[in-house]
Each structure stands twice: as C-alpha cells, then as structure tokens.
Amino acid sequence: MDKTDPLPPSLIARFVGIVGERHALTEPGETAPYVTEPRGLFGGRTGLVLRPGSVEEVSRILRLATETGTAVVPQGGNTGLVGAQMPDRSGRQVVLSLSRLDRIRELDPLSNTVIAEAGVVLERLHEAADAADRLFPLSLASQGSCQIGGNLSSNAGGTAVLAYGNARELCLGVEVVLPTGEVLDDLRKLKKDNTGYDLKNLFVGAEGTLGVITTAVLKLFPKPKGREVAWAGVASPEVALALFGMAQDRAGPALTAFELIGATPLSFAEKHLPGAVKPLAGDWPWHVLMEVSSGRSGEDARNIVEEILAAGLEDGVVGDATIAASLAQASAFWKLRESLSDVQKPEGGSIKHDISVPVASIPAFIATAGKAVASVSPGARVACFGHMGDGNLHYNISQPVGADTETFLALYGAMNKAVYEVVRSFGGSISAEHGIGVVKRDVLAATAPLVALGLMRRVKAAFDPAGIMNPGKVI
C-alpha cells in the first residue's frame, strides 16, 4: 500500500468495526479538533479518529495497525506544545484518542495510591483525591483538559516538581498496550520493587512512540493542613537565588513552589489578563511567587513564610513582599503565573524555549542568553519565567515592538540555535517538561550523545519493529 494514498475504505471499515461507528470519526468537521493543537503550528490531517472504550479495543487496534503497517498517533487531552500528539499531513495516520478510558478504578487512602485510566482529566483526579482528604500534586495550567495518559507520556512537570517530582516520580505502575497488541500489566502499588528492569519508565516520557499507556498507579499524599502563598519583588535573579536558599533552609520539604517571573511577562499579564491586579505597588525587575505547605497547621505555614520573608528583607534580598490575605488572593497570584504563556500571544510573534539548567546556574544563564538573543534580534523582548526551584525556565522571546511578525518568526531556527548553545554550555537540557515531539526532534538528533541516540533507536526497534507508533516523533 503506497504511503501517499489515503486510508483505504476497506481498512477504515476494519478499524471502525473494533470501536463501532459511534466512536469512529471520519468527517473533516468531526476530526478537526484532533488535528489542531494549542499553538497552531503543527496542524495535520487524518482520515480516521478512533475512540476506544476498553483496553481490549486498544489492543485490537494496535494489532491490526501492526498487521497492516498503519501508523497510529495516541492522543490525550491535546494540550501538548511540541506536536507529539499530532498526525502528519498525509491523512494516513490514525489518531487514537484515549478520552473514553476515563475511569478512576481505585483510590486507596491507606496506601496513598490511585489507579486511573489514561483518559481521566487531571482536574478530575485532583477532585477525587481531595474528596478522600488526599493530594495528587501534579499541577498544570492545562489541568482542566489534559489527561493522565498524556501527562505520563510527556513526563509532565508543572509548578509542584520542587516538592513532589514530575509525572515519572509520581507513577508507581502502568498498564501499556504494545504495538503487537500485547498488554503489559504492571499495575503494582509497590514503592519497593527490585524485580528486574523498571519497564514502566520506558513508557513514561516516550511520547507514545513505544506503546499506549492505558492505566496507571499514581502516588497520593496527605493533604496539607496549611498553605500560604507569597509574592516578592527582587532586584535580580542572583538575589532570587539567594532567597531560594533561605526558603529551602527554613521550609525544607514544606517549600512546595518557588517561581521566578521577569518584569516583561508580568507586564504582558497586567495588560492582557482580564481583572489582573499587580501584587506589589512598586515596579521590580524580577518577582518570586513562593508557596509553603504545612502538614501541621495553617499557623505553621504562615510562620514559615513570615520567617523567610523577614530574613530576606533583613538581608536586603527582598525589596518588597506580600502574603496572600485569602484563598481568593492566593488563587489570583497563581492565575497571574499560569497566564504568562497565553498573554504573550497579543504581543505578536513568540519564539519558545522550555529549558533547564542547574539551579545555581540560572542567573548566569539568564545573563548570557540575553546577549545571545540580542545578537539574533536586537530589540526582542525576553519573557522569562519558570520553576526556579527545579531549574526549569520558560525562556520565551517576543518580537520587538512594532516588528513584522513573519520576519521575526523567520528567525526561529537561528534563535533556537543561539539559546540552545547557551543551555548546553551550562550543562542544561533543551527540553525540561514539554517533551521532544516534532519541534525538538532534529535538535535532539544533533545534540544528544551518539551512544544515547543509538540506545533509543534500538529500544524503539525492539518494541515497535513495524514502526507504527507515532512515527516521526522524538527520534
């Protein structure tokens, strides 16, 4: 079958027969939401979207896909930012939506575990954990629509990685359907298990290139009894780093978030986010959003935050600060932070970088990368913000004021190259939490150690010899 031909009707009929006509989409109007993504950069085409309702149906789909050499693109909530969930433009790749696999099979407060299917929306899992007086700490701006399967496949990070780790560290076990249709049942709730290779971590972060995660065992935590959120204005990334050290020393594991925010992205939020209110009266070149969660009491959390800020003010590290006076104000602080990606859109073209460097190198990275940006596009505006506590920065570049958007975006490759060279010089990563997908596939191939690339290709070939799983992504 020529790979340039559309999917044959007879093959479509075989796939449709597995899930039923009601759960198979073929009309362009029906498939449109599955072939466009948040940034509008990687629109694809597909002749078929399948929405299986069971692991058995996923197994039958992949078995047929391997038999017929049909490419399959797994998709969760379609919130990914690197194109990993998108079919190509050929129309021959089948989109496999996991949205109907949406049961929370078990929530065990004593074991502090939950077994959730891939299509469970993250916010719904938060609500279920909260109802059991537990916390599932993975926190993302897209949590109202992203799904657990996608979170695991992309090894999602978010604002709570500092205290709880990313998706990989929150996962104890998985159920995965392999390209052959075989089902790996590794849904164990064990925190200690040294019986051979840790197979689950081959699939977490693999972006659907090795198999389809259908269910996972995830960690829960006792719900904090007290939570305080503070906002501080600081003079530079260097003093923000000093404040982070003070916060770590005084709060320890109770420090659940430490976000660094530049003045430029914050000004975009103040301008474009409806109802936005400046947390501080003055203007500061950099800001810190800090959260402390106590397992003892609200008073304990408050005392810790006050001690951190008092020490920062006394040492001249903090210029000004405020502690949220209510849950509503704390939510408003976080809404400002979570809006920082979206509010760049009205400012014109934006060139994105999701990078990480060692925490101690953040100030030097910011200074060096700023010079590199200016060399590529004088006048470009650096919109830098991110998770200072774990070294992950969203180092985004907005076009100069009044510049032509297309002309600026034509610099995408040159800007990426300049910024990534700085990232590598500090021993950092070109992808901290968004994944590789299509966007960074060629960069990974050009920069990863040859032995590492070779091992990745051998793993891919071993699991997916027919090459049907999300081809063209990652490697």
Side-chain angles (χ1 to χ4, degrees), residues 84-102:
Q85 77 278 25
M86 285 290 104
D88 65 15
R89 299 290 300 171
S90 70
R92 291 187 42 78
Q93 297 185 342
V94 174
V95 174
L96 181 67
S97 169
L98 281 300
S99 59
R100 290 183 61 225
L101 294 178
D102 64 351

Side-chain angles (χ1 to χ4, degrees), residues 360-427:
S361 299
I362 287 176
F365 165 79
I366 290 172
T368 308
K371 295 174 184 176
V373 168
S375 72
V376 175
S377 176
R381 295 167 291 169
V382 176
C384 177
F385 59 94
H387 321 304
M388 188 174 204
D390 58 43
N392 175 201
L393 296 177
H394 301 292
Y395 193 79
N396 301 336
I397 317 300
S398 287
Q399 69 181 56
V401 175
D404 177 71
T405 298
E406 287 190 13
T407 301
F408 175 72
L409 291 179
L411 299 172
Y412 220 110
M415 188 70 78
N416 283 171
K417 182 175 185 293
V419 171
Y420 291 151
E421 284 180 356
V422 179
V423 170
R424 287 193 294 273
S425 74
F426 285 97

Side-chain angles (χ1 to χ4, degrees), residues 1-3 15 40 73 138 144 221 236 262 296 311 327 364 377 392 427:
M1 190 164 56
D2 192 323
K3 291 187 178 182
F15 278 116
V73 180
L138 185 64
F221 296 83
S236 68
R296 292 190 288 268
L327 289 175
S377 176
N392 175 201

Side-chain angles (χ1 to χ4, degrees), residues 110-128:
L110 289 178
S111 295
N112 276 318
T113 59
V114 59
I115 303 177
E117 294 182 342
V120 173
V121 172
L122 177 55
E123 191 165 74
R124 182 173 156 231
L125 187 56
H126 285 176
E127 293 166 352

